[in-house]
Amino acid sequence: MSLLDIRRAGDPVLKEVSQPVQKIDKQLKKLLDDMADTMYKNDGVGLAAPQVGKLIRAVVIDCQDEVGLIELINPKITYREGKAVDTEGCLSVPDIFGEVERAAKVKVEFLNRRGKLQHLTAKGLLARCIQHECDHLEGQLFIDIAQSIHRGQDK
Ligand code: CO
């Protein structure tokens, strides 16, 4: 496993739309392992492949809840319910935080690393994180949609 360089806001790769994963091979599994390492090392709760310069639809998330580490390959949000506003940050936008409105509850389908179709229903932080990471796959950062932005954790 190895740590990957995280692309920062301003890097054009973060504005691109990522391509679906065509084949779940050794290379992809290594990328997922390295992404998880990189996320943990930087105290993040999620990381999307474009943040490490790979324009493919792969995401890792660990909100330190009962779900733990999840790897989402070709994720698709199939259902959204309610609205919630809360503070977000992003490893690609260090030291900046913002208030972002998201669906309060989502259902997402994705492939796991064995190529099996998975369905997950999430609310709270996990739902927020799934939406934030899926936005990265569309080339969108939270600062593009935040209601307000501030430096540091405190408002
Ligand atoms: Co992010």
Side-chain angles (χ1 to χ4, degrees), residues 51 89-92 132-133 136:
Q51 292 182 272
C90 178
L91 293 177
S92 292
H132 176 118
E133 300 310 329
H136 276 299

Side-chain angles (χ1 to χ4, degrees), residues 39-56:
M39 171 180 72
Y40 290 126
K41 179 75 179 175
N42 290 281
D43 296 320
V45 293
L47 191 67
Q51 292 182 272
V52 294
K54 306 278 185 205
L55 285 170
I56 57 167

